[in-house]
Amino acid sequence: MTDERRGVAGEVDSVLAALADPTRRHLLDLLAARGEATATTLAERLPVSRQAVVKHLAVLDAAGLVTGSRVGREVRYAVRPAALDATARWMAALAADWDRRLATIKRVAEAAEGDAFQS
């Protein structure tokens, strides 16, 4: 595996691990809808503490899914779509590969079926 593919695989792994948690997915949804928000604002919309929200945001940040920028005493978080886009491209390529494999199996099965009828 090339270094580039290894890097993409690591990025995809981080994104998928971050997205495995429903609270983090909800945080991304909230941020996508609001544009940006503080951990305090986000915690008001979730059944978890502000400290838990901060921990979830740290995981999302490490995966490259959000970014935090300090504005005065607050940290405002926003979605960073690049890592999610890369993961979506990986998933689309994986789906296309499976579609090709299934089309080949279908073609082989139909050819075998046609040969059986001719015999």
Side-chain angles (χ1 to χ4, degrees), residues 4 7 19 21 23 26 36 42 48-49 54-55 62 68 78 80-81 87 103 105:
E4 182 179 340
L19 294 177
D21 185 278
T23 300
H26 194 172
E36 66 176 22
L42 293 166
V48 296
S49 69
V54 169
K55 288 180 181 182
R80 286 178 37 197
T87 302
I105 291 169

Side-chain angles (χ1 to χ4, degrees), residues 17-116:
L19 294 177
D21 185 278
T23 300
R24 290 193 283 269
R25 290 192 305 273
H26 194 172
L27 281 169
L28 275 179
D29 288 340
L30 290 171
L31 285 171
R34 296 179 78 96
E36 66 176 22
T38 65
T40 302
T41 303
L42 293 166
E44 291 169 357
R45 304 284 309 265
L46 294 167
V48 296
S49 69
R50 181 193 169 284
Q51 291 80 5
V53 167
V54 169
K55 288 180 181 182
H56 284 296
L57 288 167
V59 173
L60 293 170
D61 187 24
L65 293 169
V66 300
T67 185
S69 58
R70 187 163 287 283
V71 178
R73 293 179 10 174
E74 297 180 328
V75 177
R76 295 186 186 208
Y77 294 89
V79 174
R80 286 178 37 197
L84 199 53
D85 290 345
T87 302
R89 284 191 305 276
W90 173 81
M91 292 176 81
L94 183 64
D97 186 44
W98 275 105
D99 287 345
R100 281 189 298 278
R101 290 177 183 190
L102 291 172
T104 299
I105 291 169
K106 180 181 178 191
R107 215 172 23 257
V108 168
E110 287 173 347
E113 185 176 88
D115 290 345

